[in-house]
Amino acid sequence: MSRRFQGLIVPVASIVLGLLIGAIIMLAFGYDPIAGYSALAYGAFGNSYYLGETLRLTTPYILTGLAIAVAYKMNMFNIGAQGQLLMGWIGAVWAGTLFDFPKFIHLPMAIVVGGICGALWALVPGLLKAYLKVNEVIITIMMNYIALYIFNWLIHDVFTDGKDQTDVVKETASLKSPFLENITQYSTLHWGIILSLIFAVIIWVFMKKTTKGYEFEAIGFNENAAMYAGMNVRRNIICAMLISGFLAGTAGAMEGLGTFGFAFTQGSVSGIGFDGIAVALLGALSPIGIVFSAFLFAALNIGKTTISVEAGIPNELVNIVIALIIFFVAASYIIQWVIAKMAAKKGGR
């Protein structure tokens, strides 16, 4: 079996197994899984409004998934995408409310500012990893909490006078689209979905067609061999974290300039940045796979809002399905072992 086919079959099998075991759990608790999944599908794309909301959530999922994938290519696990997203969010909103330029200048500038804020937040663990060999998982997890409190402090005490949300960004810095809203029954879909797809193409080209992308992969496979071949490992570690943080920060800019149009205080660090880890893993760390994986996770999270109303099933069961899919992706060696056994048995015949 080819490596490419095996990379495809594992996420597909993970989804199928997650949905199947989810159905068994529904049956065990006396619910109708067919009605449940039908309601889930309807809530995700049953009409243009729900489809618009699904595509809107797909946008930051793509970007955070790409952020995780870029770092993972260097054998680094960036758990700090949520903190980088928050820094990008507040940075983009700051630029979107402070300056007053024509839209063709103001909007790109606000997005870039958001990306740079995310990149600078990722620079700290990148430097510590490159020069002191500090585990990036520990640092990025801790920095998520630091980002949360700085984010809330900036909103409450710097950008406002004790309020829990900032002013709305100026129209010249807004990603909102009357056209997309009209064709999706006034959902919150905005132009960020196009930008996220463009970034997915850019990252694919970067990883597959550039020397730097080759160095990332080579260092991820064997750091010592890459160093022997003349690659600058430290510089590449920092570069990978900067790109990863920029993508996560851009995801925050999508929220600040598009979905909400402002920033508001957060109660916890759980959110899109952590979901991006699952998106990247299910997408097999491939930009193309991440696009489809992001759409699936967005569909599950948007669709679960109607499953209790339409089918009388607690939406927590959808979280179980999502957890099962992640479990099977993480335990992909089980699926690979089954596939290998089936192939060996077929070959023996």
Side-chain angles (χ1 to χ4, degrees):
M1 181 181 298
S2 68
R3 183 177 177 181
R4 179 175 297 182
F5 180 75
Q6 186 170 317
L8 176 64
I9 198 67
V10 169
V12 171
S14 299
I15 295 168
V16 172
L17 288 170
L19 293 174
L20 180 61
I21 296 178
I24 294 173
I25 294 173
M26 290 182 196
L27 285 172
F29 283 91
Y31 299 114
D32 183 356
I34 296 177
Y37 285 136
S38 297
L40 184 67
Y42 177 77
F45 27 76
N47 57 42
S48 59
Y49 173 81
Y50 290 138
L51 179 59
E53 289 299 308
T54 298
L55 290 173
R56 185 268 305 166
L57 186 56
T58 301
T59 300
Y61 276 165
I62 290 174
L63 291 166
T64 53
L66 292 172
I68 301 301
V70 169
Y72 202 85
K73 281 293 183 181
M74 284 277 295
N75 202 25
M76 294 188 296
F77 210 5
N78 179 15
I79 309 294
Q82 181 63 27
Q84 294 146 25
L85 180 148
L86 290 176
M87 291 295 99
W89 187 339
I90 197 65
V93 168
W94 171 77
T97 55
L98 180 65
F99 299 104
D100 190 9
F101 297 123
K103 187 156 191 169
F104 72 93
I105 296 176
H106 198 184
L107 178 56
M109 184 192 72
I111 295 172
V112 170
V113 168
I116 291 174
C117 288
L120 291 175
W121 199 251
L123 177 61
V124 175
L127 290 171
L128 292 173
K129 172 76 172 180
Y131 288 97
L132 299 178
K133 300 297 181 181
V134 178
N135 189 299
E136 73 281 359
V137 174
I138 297 172
I139 297 299
T140 51
I141 287 176
M142 292 191 298
M143 289 190 69
N144 281 330
Y145 291 93
I146 299 172
L148 173 67
Y149 294 124
I150 291 178
F151 181 87
N152 289 342
W153 170 72
L154 287 172
I155 293 172
H156 194 268
D157 295 321
V158 178
F159 296 157
T160 69
D161 187 15
K163 297 179 181 179
D164 290 330
Q165 71 176 52
T166 65
D167 294 333
V168 176
V169 299
K170 295 178 181 178
E171 180 62 30
T172 52
S174 175
L175 280 166
K176 291 184 181 297
S177 166
F179 169 73
L180 293 177
E181 291 174 358
N182 286 335
I183 65 174
T184 57
Q185 299 179 32
Y186 299 97
S187 72
T188 54
L189 181 63
H190 52 80
W191 290 120
I193 183 63
I194 305 299
L195 292 174
S196 66
L197 294 174
I198 292 173
F199 271 108
V201 173
I202 291 172
I203 294 302
W204 182 86
V205 172
F206 173 78
M207 297 305 299
K208 297 295 183 181
K209 304 297 182 180
T210 67
T211 302
K212 183 63 68 175
Y214 172 78
E215 289 185 2
F216 280 14
E217 193 158 4
I219 294 171
F221 276 126
N222 193 315
E223 181 178 317
N224 292 326
M227 189 181 300
Y228 182 77
M231 299 178 190
N232 191 319
V233 175
R234 286 179 175 175
R235 185 170 60 196
N236 278 290
I237 287 174
I238 295 170
C239 183
M241 287 301 294
L242 284 172
I243 294 173
S244 180
F246 184 89
L247 290 166
T250 304
M254 299 298 104
E255 297 294 274
L257 304 176
T259 303
F260 299 101
F262 55 89
F264 54 91
T265 55
Q266 308 281 312
S268 66
V269 296
S270 60
I272 292 170
F274 287 105
D275 290 342
I277 299 171
V279 168
L281 293 176
L282 182 61
L285 304 174
S286 162
I288 297 173
I290 285 170
V291 170
F292 290 103
S293 174
F295 182 76
L296 172 65
F297 271 81
L300 290 172
N301 280 287
I302 295 296
K304 73 181 182 182
T305 59
T306 62
I307 194 171
S308 59
V309 176
E310 299 290 334
I313 299 174
N315 57 24
E316 286 80 6
L317 280 173
V318 179
N319 293 333
I320 294 175
V321 172
I322 294 173
L324 287 168
I325 293 173
I326 297 171
F327 168 78
F328 284 114
V329 171
S332 59
Y333 63 89
I334 298 176
I335 299 173
Q336 293 169 355
W337 179 80
V338 172
I339 293 172
K341 286 292 184 181
M342 291 175 63
K345 187 175 181 180
K346 185 176 180 180
R349 290 180 179 177

